[in-house]
Each structure stands twice: as structure tokens, then as C-alpha cells.
């Protein structure tokens, strides 16, 4: 276990970035459905307009629900990173460095192919928890190499 009481191989998930998207997704559907029903009582709004407004609310909710499911799942072979749009799998051997520079909104991984992968699951908005999670990820990378403070664990 890490000092925070989290298993070293537990999935990474943003703390603050999960609740608000769920609340806003619900609100977008409710507001659009209620608005469509109320506006449907006017002559200017027909059934197609109402369905379009409801579809807009559902589309917004879908985007927000995707944001709420951002995560990074480590295992013995590597890390599966699910960001907002793309899900990518990287092997531990392909990770050169874990970076969380001041001002960056989330952690990024420098990869052996000179690519950079954002890990939106570890966010600066989470404050000390986000920094601890970045250290935990760096420890997993070190452990996979057999170096660093977590080697051999």
C-alpha cells in the first residue's frame, strides 16, 4: 500500500473531475426535456424541434459522461489510458518519463517513440492527491524497470 492507503496498482481516476460531469449530464438532459415540453406548447416548435432539443441534451450528457469515465489502469504489462477521446495502451518499457510540471493540467508520459501521452486521470485540480498519484505512477514505472524506491515490490 502507498502512504495514501491506495494499492500501488489501483486505477487512477480524477477526484474532482468525476462528480461535476455527472451532475451536469443529468442537468443537461432534464433542462432540455423540460424546455422541449414547454416550447412544444407554442406554435413555433414542432415535434422535430422538440426531438432535436432532447437529442442535444443527450449528446451533451454523453460527452460529459465520457469525461466522467477518464481513467488510467495499470497492470503488470503497462498502462491503459482512457482520456476524453482516445484510449491508448502503453507498455511500461515504452515510458521514458512521468512529468507533472507546474502549470500543467494533468500528468504526461514521455514515450520511447518521442510521443507524449496525456494522462488526464491525474489532474492538478486534485491538489495534493494529484501530486501523490503522479508519484505513484512514477513509482510504478520505476518498479517495472527494477529501479527506484519501489524496485522489487
Amino acid at each position: 500500500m502507498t502512504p495514501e492507503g491506495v494499492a500501488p496498482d489501483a486505477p487512477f481516476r480524477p477526484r474532482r473531475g468525476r462528480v461535476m460531469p455527472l451532475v451536469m449530464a443529468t442537468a443537461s438532459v432534464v433542462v432540455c426535456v423540460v424546455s422541449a415540453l414547454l416550447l412544444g406548447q407554442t406554435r413555433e416548435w414542432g415535434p422535430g424541434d422538440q426531438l432535436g432539443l432532447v437529442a442535444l441534451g443527450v449528446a451533451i450528457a454523453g460527452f460529459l459522461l465520457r469525461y466522467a469515465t477518464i481513467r488510467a489502469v495499470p497492470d503488470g504489462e503497462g498502462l491503459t489510458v482512457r482520456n476524453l477521446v482516445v484510449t491508448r495502451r502503453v507498455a511500461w518499457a515504452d515510458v521514458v518519463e512521468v512529468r507533472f510540471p507546474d502549470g500543467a493540467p494533468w500528468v504526461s508520459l514521455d514515450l520511447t517513440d518521442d510521443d507524449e501521452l496525456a494522462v488526464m486521470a491525474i489532474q492538478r485540480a486534485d491538489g495534493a492527491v494529484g501530486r501523490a498519484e503522479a508519484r505513484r505512477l512514477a513509482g510504478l514505472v520505476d518498479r517495472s524497470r527494477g529501479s527506484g524506491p519501489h524496485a522489487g515490490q
Side-chain angles (χ1 to χ4, degrees):
M1 301 294 269
T2 63
E4 302 85 32
V6 176
D9 58 348
F12 297 92
R13 298 178 195 272
R15 304 291 193 270
R16 293 182 183 172
R18 277 194 320 194
V19 175
M20 189 54 76
L22 293 173
V23 169
M24 294 307 295
T26 303
S28 73
V29 171
V30 169
V31 166
C32 287
V33 167
V34 169
S35 297
L37 291 173
L38 292 175
L39 291 170
Q41 296 174 1
T42 68
R43 289 186 180 178
E44 291 84 24
W45 280 73
D49 298 320
Q50 290 174 291
L51 286 175
L53 187 55
V54 171
L56 176 64
V58 170
I60 292 169
F63 175 79
L64 291 168
L65 290 174
R66 176 69 185 197
Y67 189 87
T69 61
I70 289 171
R71 65 183 174 272
V73 181
D75 60 31
E77 305 295 319
L79 185 69
T80 302
V81 179
R82 180 177 178 163
N83 285 335
L84 192 56
V85 177
V86 177
T87 299
R88 182 169 174 191
R89 172 98 179 133
V90 292
W92 292 123
D94 294 335
V95 179
V96 175
E97 182 180 17
V98 177
R99 294 187 304 111
F100 200 16
D102 285 339
W106 43 71
V107 164
S108 62
L109 303 176
D110 287 336
L111 304 176
T112 55
D113 62 1
D114 293 329
D115 199 6
E116 184 176 300
L117 176 63
V119 182
M120 294 176 71
I122 304 173
Q123 299 183 358
R124 179 145 327 269
D126 289 333
V129 172
R131 290 187 298 277
E133 290 289 75
R135 287 190 299 274
R136 181 166 68 96
L137 179 57
L140 288 171
V141 172
D142 287 344
R143 185 173 70 183
S144 74
R145 292 185 186 136
S147 64
H150 302 286
Q153 291 182 6

